[in-house]
Amino acid sequence: MTVVGVVGAGVMGVGVAQNFAQTGHQVVLVDVDKASLEKALTQIERNGRLSRLVGGPAVDVAAMMAAITVDVEVDALAEADVVIENITENWDLKQQLYGSLDRVCPPRTIFVANTSAIPITRIASVTRRPDRVVGVHFMNPVPMKSAVELIPGHHTSPETMHRIREVLGAIGKKAIEVKDSAGFVSNRVLMLTVNEAACLVHEGVADAPTVDEVFRECFGHPMGPLETADLIGVDTILYSVEVLYQSYADSKYRPCPLLKHMTDAGLHGRKTGKGFYSYDEYGRVLPAR
Ligand code: NAD
């Protein structure tokens, strides 16, 4: 059985750990923050129970929970065949973590970076196994999404690509391969759109519900860009736009000041209960007062 290490127990780590555990994999979930691990287990258990109600598969919740162990130390990943990294979108943190993973994990372990925007070749360069580092950009919420972006770095080997396609196949994900470049395909476009949508609110052109209404009613999008920002995490949006801005040195990626303000104020979206909208404990939008 493939032992899957999942590092980072936030929005994405919860979804990735759940998806692997509910499909018969053994999962070791690691986060530096003990409270995040406790919250993650509660969320995974609840997501498993509610899976059918939201259009997902029936989940054996007891078996899924028994397949997950949690730890605050990366040393717990010493037996992992694959490690999927989902920590905060911050280069310094990621650089440090990959150095530690490289020391702890055996040479066979494949490192999967689930970054929004950082190039995979840059991540691989801080390890001694660039041939066994690959990017998989999972979509949120992970168990409900059928496809991922698959990104080989400059040195990623054909064996690593083959193995990771097998791993993704085992959880029912279609892999869409794209070349390595900051933001890949999805976030080069999505982050610009969300950033510009935030600028519309910042400038008072329209409020958030009106911006989203235009996208839903006129374009048929299931969710507008600002509700999407809340789903992803307003802080994660800001960090990703900052990575794009630094990577391309192009003013079109200049982060909207409102994203900075909201991040500083803790208005991170669904995960903190408030962002462009307010949320109940199940992540449902509360009516505006
Ligand atoms: P998040 O803020 O919800 O969670 C990040 C978690 O990482 C936190 O629990 C934090 O305690 C933990 N962490 C930070 N440093 C750590 C370390 N050194 N070791 C272990 N844990 C550490 O963020 P998220 O939304 O889950 O995003 C995680 C990654 O996934 C980011 O790189 C992001 O760009 C990417 N991503 C996010 C989405 C999305 O929709 N949110 C989609 C695809 C990819």
Side-chain angles (χ1 to χ4, degrees):
M1 187 202 290
T2 308
V3 178
V4 180
V6 178
V7 193
V11 172
M12 293 311 282
V14 163
V16 170
Q18 180 194 336
N19 206 155
F20 277 97
Q22 76 184 26
T23 49
H25 298 83
Q26 197 182 323
V27 172
V28 183
L29 177 60
V30 171
D31 198 291
V32 282
D33 180 30
K34 201 158 174 277
S36 293
L37 287 170
E38 282 160 12
K39 194 171 154 205
L41 287 177
T42 307
Q43 280 180 340
I44 293 171
E45 205 261 344
R46 188 165 70 189
N47 293 348
R49 270 191 290 110
L50 299 178
S51 176
R52 286 284 293 280
L53 282 177
V54 293
V59 173
D60 179 340
V61 178
M64 176 182 74
M65 295 312 290
I68 304 174
T69 55
V70 297
D71 211 297
V72 287
E73 301 289 346
V74 284
D75 296 9
L77 300 170
E79 301 299 321
D81 301 301
V82 175
V83 170
I84 302 173
E85 173 272 310
N86 317 263
I87 72 163
T88 313
E89 187 77 353
N90 173 293
W91 173 239
D92 292 341
L93 289 178
K94 296 221 193 239
Q95 192 173 7
Q96 219 176 0
L97 173 70
Y98 278 93
S100 305
L101 289 175
D102 212 20
R103 279 191 295 282
V104 166
C105 297
R108 72 168 196 285
T109 308
I110 294 176
F111 295 164
V112 174
N114 178 20
T115 167
S116 293
I118 301 172
I120 305 309
T121 307
R122 192 192 307 169
I123 290 175
S125 74
V126 299
T127 74
R128 290 166 299 175
R129 62 183 84 197
D131 56 321
R132 272 150 294 155
V133 178
V134 61
V136 175
H137 183 216
F138 286 91
M139 305 296 146
N140 176 19
V142 180
M144 303 299 296
K145 298 290 181 176
S146 57
V148 298
E149 278 181 295
L150 173 63
I151 310 113
H154 185 86
H155 296 289
T156 308
S157 68
E159 293 75 23
T160 298
M161 291 300 281
H162 177 73
R163 179 75 187 108
I164 221 63
R165 281 185 181 278
E166 278 180 350
V167 168
L168 290 169
I171 59 165
K173 299 285 187 247
K174 178 181 181 181
I176 304 173
E177 189 173 327
V178 303
K179 293 214 170 80
D180 190 23
S181 156
F184 320 119
V185 168
S186 57
N187 281 339
R188 277 278 285 277
V189 178
L190 179 64
M191 294 299 159
L192 262 186
T193 305
V194 172
N195 194 50
E196 200 60 27
C199 285
L200 286 169
V201 177
H202 183 60
E203 292 165 18
V205 176
D207 61 10
T210 307
V211 171
D212 283 347
E213 192 182 9
V214 170
F215 278 79
R216 283 195 317 272
E217 302 294 326
C218 303
F219 298 154
H221 289 195
M223 198 185 258
L226 297 171
E227 201 180 342
T228 303
D230 277 359
L231 174 69
I232 292 171
V234 173
D235 54 338
T236 301
I237 297 281
L238 171 65
Y239 304 147
S240 304
V241 176
E242 284 176 342
V243 170
L244 292 169
Y245 187 53
Q246 285 151 14
S247 298
Y248 293 106
D250 188 329
S251 61
K252 74 180 172 191
Y253 295 110
R254 190 174 67 91
C256 172
L258 179 60
L259 294 177
K260 291 186 183 178
H261 180 77
M262 290 176 69
T263 298
D264 289 344
L267 304 175
H268 297 178
R270 274 195 205 190
K271 63 183 166 185
T272 57
K274 253 185 196 283
F276 288 99
Y277 301 88
S278 296
Y279 297 86
D280 69 10
E281 59 170 317
Y282 294 99
R284 291 176 300 209
V285 178
L286 291 168
R289 274 186 228 140

